Amino acid sequence: SLTTRLDAPSAAAPRSMDPSAVASERSAVHAEEQQVEIANELVKLAFSAYIPAVDFKMSFGRLMYPQQTFGLNGTDWLTDWNAAITLKVPIFNGFKRGAEVSQARIGLRQEQYRLAQLREAVQLQYEQAVGERERAAASITARQRTVDQAQRVYDLTVLRYDQGLASQLEVSDARLSLLQARANRAQAIAQYYIADAGVQRARGVSSAALSQVR
């Protein structure tokens, strides 16, 4: 006896998404794409070590030079104004820049490989979940046919029993077969909804959003 109704899904097959589109919607994939962008910026930053740099500094202030020790009379102020332009041209620093660029490129390739692997894993997870849902839907159809056949056998057995052509044991066996077929169908429906939840999970739908849809 079920505490809640367990209705069979509609006969129309649910629409499946393109696995690549599913991968583009996953938050984990978005996060890894950000990591790739960060690694790309680190490569640019490492290359910037080869670019000359120009610095400009200027300071302006007032300085006091008293004629006597502790003679702070407030009248011996002088203006101090300095300006400097510095050009830094990288020539040689012990191959450090080349090593930093190579390290940044390796980090970029690693993040790109991680992104490709993550996309493939998400697509495979979604395809497997869709396949499991289709298998569960086919199981419901097959077990529904078994229920229909068991119902007809039970009805015919009851009719034969009413006419004195069947025993009470045969009626009990037919009833047991019908109940078993119904239980198998209910189990198949439950497995379908579990598989459908797996499809939504593979798409990145949260459990809270999934419960609202249900």
Side-chain angles (χ1 to χ4, degrees):
S1 177
L2 298 177
T3 58
T4 58
R5 293 188 59 182
L6 191 62
D7 297 329
S10 60
R15 183 177 60 89
S16 301
M17 297 180 58
D18 185 6
S20 59
V22 172
S24 63
E25 292 181 354
R26 290 288 293 270
S27 58
V29 175
H30 292 169
E32 189 58 36
E33 289 175 349
Q34 294 296 325
Q35 292 296 328
V36 172
E37 293 180 4
I38 292 174
N40 190 32
E41 294 298 326
L42 290 177
V43 173
K44 295 179 181 179
L45 181 62
F47 268 110
S48 65
Y50 289 95
I51 303 175
V54 178
D55 294 335
F56 175 74
K57 298 180 180 179
M58 184 180 65
S59 62
F60 178 82
R62 299 276 289 174
L63 302 177
M64 177 181 287
Y65 296 97
Q67 299 297 327
Q68 299 177 357
T69 304
F70 303 109
L72 303 178
N73 53 13
T75 59
D76 298 326
W77 289 96
L78 299 177
T79 301
D80 183 74
W81 187 5
N82 296 318
I85 298 178
T86 304
L87 175 63
K88 297 180 181 180
V89 180
I91 299 177
F92 180 75
N93 63 347
F95 305 105
K96 178 181 178 181
R97 288 170 297 179
E100 290 177 347
V101 171
S102 299
Q103 184 177 4
R105 285 176 172 174
I106 293 174
L108 175 59
R109 286 195 293 269
Q110 288 177 344
E111 295 298 337
Q112 290 174 342
Y113 291 151
R114 291 193 186 99
L115 178 59
Q117 291 177 351
L118 181 58
R119 284 176 175 170
E120 291 178 359
V122 170
Q123 293 177 13
L124 179 60
Q125 180 186 8
Y126 178 75
E127 291 174 352
Q128 288 177 342
V130 170
E132 183 64 21
R133 185 176 63 182
E134 293 176 351
R135 185 200 63 79
S139 178
I140 292 175
T141 302
R143 294 187 180 184
Q144 181 61 48
R145 294 196 186 99
T146 303
V147 170
D148 296 339
Q149 293 175 358
Q151 184 67 49
R152 287 196 294 269
V153 170
Y154 175 74
D155 294 339
L156 291 175
T157 304
V158 171
L159 180 60
R160 291 175 60 242
Y161 176 77
D162 293 339
Q163 296 177 357
L165 300 177
S167 63
Q168 181 65 37
L169 181 60
E170 291 177 336
V171 175
S172 299
D173 289 341
R175 182 185 299 110
L176 180 61
S177 298
L178 176 59
L179 293 177
Q180 185 63 47
R182 289 176 177 175
N184 292 338
R185 181 186 60 182
Q187 183 180 8
I189 294 174
Q191 291 176 351
Y192 174 86
Y193 285 119
I194 293 175
D196 186 63
V199 173
Q200 303 305 324
R201 189 181 300 110
R203 289 181 52 192
V205 179
S206 63
S207 58
L210 184 59
S211 62
Q212 292 177 0
V213 173
R214 293 295 178 213

